[in-house]
Amino acid sequence: MSGSGTGLRLLDVSLHTEEQGRDVVALDARAEEHGPPRVPEGAMVSVGLTFLVDRAIDGLTFEERRTGDDHVPVTTRTALGGFRRGGPYEVRLPPRRMPVGRAHCGLYRVTGRLTDGEGRELARADHELVLVHLTGAPGARTAPDAS
């Protein structure tokens, strides 16, 4: 996780799903300890960001790029607006549906970047997530255990 000295300090990134609630994404040494978050295919996922602002920032944008083996990279950009000095600010992005089908399941590498109105990177967070196939009937909403 980066961001110190840029005017913005990213404190926390979390994934929110209806089924699993809030799952904090481990962005430092804890990432290897906890492993990547497991998200069921087709889940509606919203990214939560918590950050501090050291100076006024106009045109703050969050860009997320998700890449996986044999998958076309997907990039989404969300304009967050202007923020005055202070915080911590908590922002929850609009939910997006994760892909469905075994072909889409597996490990994804995710890069989240916060940029200002001029496109300068203010903070960056890299992490992984595992998209898992749902078990049971087509209406099942549970993913298999990690064991």
Side-chain angles (χ1 to χ4, degrees):
M1 176 167 40
S2 68
S4 113
T6 63
L8 184 143
R9 187 170 61 150
L10 187 60
L11 302 175
D12 179 77
V13 175
S14 55
L15 300 179
H16 300 261
T17 62
E18 188 175 300
E19 295 83 10
Q20 296 173 269
R22 182 176 189 268
D23 188 8
V24 174
V25 176
L27 299 174
D28 50 23
R30 297 173 301 155
E32 286 187 29
E33 183 180 314
H34 295 285
R38 296 169 54 82
V39 178
E41 66 179 317
M44 292 295 289
V45 176
S46 178
V47 174
L49 305 169
T50 306
F51 55 90
L52 294 171
V53 176
D54 296 335
R55 60 174 172 80
I57 298 174
D58 289 323
L60 188 63
T61 300
F62 181 72
E63 175 186 280
E64 181 182 68
R65 182 172 177 90
R66 188 176 64 229
T67 59
D69 297 335
D70 301 328
H71 298 102
V72 175
V74 174
T75 301
T76 58
R77 288 179 187 83
T78 306
L80 303 178
F83 290 82
R84 66 177 190 262
R85 184 173 190 248
Y89 291 101
E90 294 181 30
V91 175
R92 192 150 158 197
L93 303 179
R96 292 188 335 237
R97 184 166 304 281
M98 297 301 286
V100 175
R102 287 184 188 267
H104 295 285
C105 293
L107 182 69
Y108 285 86
R109 288 166 295 290
V110 182
T111 298
R113 294 180 346 122
L114 285 157
T115 59
D116 64 13
E118 296 180 21
R120 290 182 295 239
E121 184 175 290
L122 303 177
R124 176 188 198 106
D126 297 296
H127 65 93
E128 296 177 331
L129 69 84
V130 177
L131 188 65
V132 294
H133 182 67
L134 297 175
T135 60
R141 297 305 310 154
T142 59
D145 289 334
S147 53

